[in-house]
Amino acid sequence: MDISSQQPRRRNRLVLALSVAVVLLLAAAGVLTALVVTARADADALTAAEAAEDRQQAEELQAVQDERGRLEERISDAEADAAAAEGRIAAAEAAQSAAEEATAAREQADAEAAAADEQTFVDALRATETMTSATDAQLLQRGRDVCSYLDSTAGTPPDLTDAFDRAVATYAIDDAILLVTAATQILCPEYGS
């Protein structure tokens, strides 16, 4: 073989090898381009998915914050209602305490008035020197008996007459008149005339 005929073959082989290399490079570039396009598409899809997830998380966070705001408002309203209720309870307790004090004062005043009336009744009977053999407690019980009798009747004027008649059956007429009169004027004045 001749060198001159080998050269074109070599060239042809070289051209063929270069052509194959170029084709392979082009194919590799195509594959790389496809891979880059696929990677870019995947990256875009991933970015879009992350953006959608971020939007969803932001919406959920806003919903939670809105709900928290409503709950805080309800808690605030409940605290205000509780404070108002405590104020009403304190006012009611103060009113109850004032009522109890007023009742106690009234009962004390009534007891003092009753004691004063009882003493006045006994003093009235003693001033006339009637029923001198009876103790103060006995005199007071006799006056209460007159009032109890009148309480048990309808309270009309004939009942007062009946009270005199009942007293006269037990005591001298002057003593009976004084007893019924003093009782109806001092111990049970609602029956006095």
Side-chain angles (χ1 to χ4, degrees), residues 85-101:
E86 288 174 358
R88 289 192 301 272
I89 289 169
E93 288 173 346
Q96 180 180 4
S97 177
E100 288 171 354
E101 289 174 7

Side-chain angles (χ1 to χ4, degrees), residues 126-138:
R126 293 279 185 229
T128 60
E129 297 183 6
T130 188
M131 300 184 193
T132 55
S133 63
T135 65
D136 289 355
Q138 289 171 330

Side-chain angles (χ1 to χ4, degrees), residues 3 12 17 19 22 28 44 47 50 53 62 65 67 75 79 87 92 110 131 134 161 177-178 183 189:
I3 293 186
N12 284 342
S19 296
V22 168
D44 289 345
T47 302
E50 287 176 351
E53 187 177 320
Q62 185 61 45
Q65 288 174 341
E67 182 64 21
I75 288 170
E79 288 172 345
D110 289 348
M131 300 184 193
T161 304
I177 291 172
L178 180 60

Side-chain angles (χ1 to χ4, degrees), residues 32-128:
L32 284 174
T33 303
L35 287 174
V36 168
V37 168
T38 301
R40 180 164 284 184
D42 289 347
D44 289 345
L46 183 59
T47 302
E50 287 176 351
E53 187 177 320
D54 288 346
R55 280 192 305 275
Q56 182 179 1
Q57 287 177 350
E59 289 171 359
E60 289 173 355
L61 180 60
Q62 185 61 45
V64 167
Q65 288 174 341
D66 291 347
E67 182 64 21
R68 180 181 177 190
R70 286 191 294 275
L71 290 174
E72 287 175 348
E73 186 177 318
R74 289 175 60 193
I75 288 170
S76 177
D77 290 347
E79 288 172 345
D81 289 346
E86 288 174 358
R88 289 192 301 272
I89 289 169
E93 288 173 346
Q96 180 180 4
S97 177
E100 288 171 354
E101 289 174 7
T103 299
R106 187 175 54 249
E107 288 173 353
Q108 179 67 27
D110 289 348
E112 290 171 0
D117 288 347
E118 291 171 353
Q119 189 59 49
T120 302
F121 173 78
V122 170
D123 290 345
L125 292 182
R126 293 279 185 229
T128 60

